[in-house]
Amino acid sequence: MPAAAPTWDPAQYLRHAGHRARPFADLLARVPDPPGAPARVADLGCGPGNVTTLLAARWPTARITGYDNSTEMLDMAHVEHEGPTSGGGRLDFSHADVRTWTPGEPHDLIISNATLQWVPGHVERFADWVAGLKPGGTLAFQVPGNFDAPSHRLMRELAASPRWRGRLADTLRHADAVLTPEAYLERLTSLGCAADVWETTYLHLLQGEDPVLDWVKGTGLRPVLTALGDEPEAREAFVAEYRAALREAYPAGPHGTPFPFRRVFAVAGKPG
Ligand SMILES: C[S@@+](CC[C@H](N)C(=O)[O-])C[C@H]1O[C@@H](n2cnc3c(N)ncnc32)[C@H](O)[C@@H]1O
């Protein structure tokens, strides 16, 4: 049986907000100005809404909605970021499941950062999303491409070990959670879009004790923390084993702990 959706902890997620916002800024730098004014923009899997505000900063007259299916994330987004924007536009947040969301009106931009890896079969949604764009509109997204990195491989290996597999089988996503850059390019161009696809490996220099563990506690480890949520001792035991493995894989250096993180980006323009 597939695992239940993970519960999110916005405060833990935001502990590395600076590093996590960088790919969104890099994605946004390649997105052209929308064809419509004021623009209609959707941010799929907006999380706590902090990066959604970058959309309002760039297009202050736009009507922007961030969608997410986590109550915890949306609660923070509503309180911290919802409301009128500086140029007379508006930023709102709404509950929606990206697996089924379709634009209810023509959109200038549909954007998604660090979310589609949580949405199995997301490429099958692209046709609906492109159809919901205005001519000249853009579909843009970024997904992590690090499922074979030690941070994720060690987590999967531990979850599959004899001690844990009874409780954690099928809990974690695998490398097929995202496509290769080539496959995204093929899919988007086959929908008639002009696509710009690339990858980058960031070398985050993290500070503090066990910083890679602290990072994944906000994202990749959520399914394990959720699955063991009712068993605090088991949860602590898993985290202790995983922490030891991470310390070996990511030794601290004199200036911090280098944490390589590959990400895949796509910006697809619908013909005008
Ligand atoms: C890693 S966070 C990214 C948040 C934000 N986009 C950012 O860049 O900081 C992933 C978000 O995707 C949301 N998410 C995952 N699956 C989803 C789904 N099927 N529908 C809507 N949101 C989803 C999670 O609740 C979470 O807030």
Side-chain angles (χ1 to χ4, degrees), residues 15 90 137 192 220 238:
R15 283 170 55 79
R90 194 167 163 92
F238 184 95

Side-chain angles (χ1 to χ4, degrees), residues 121-124 126 141 143-145 147 175-187 262 264:
H122 55 267
V123 281
E124 306 308 329
F126 288 175
F141 62 85
V143 288
F147 290 90
D176 61 2
V178 298
L179 273 57
T180 61
E182 291 81 3
Y184 282 126
L185 181 71
E186 197 284 319
R187 191 59 72 108
R262 176 177 175 258
V264 177

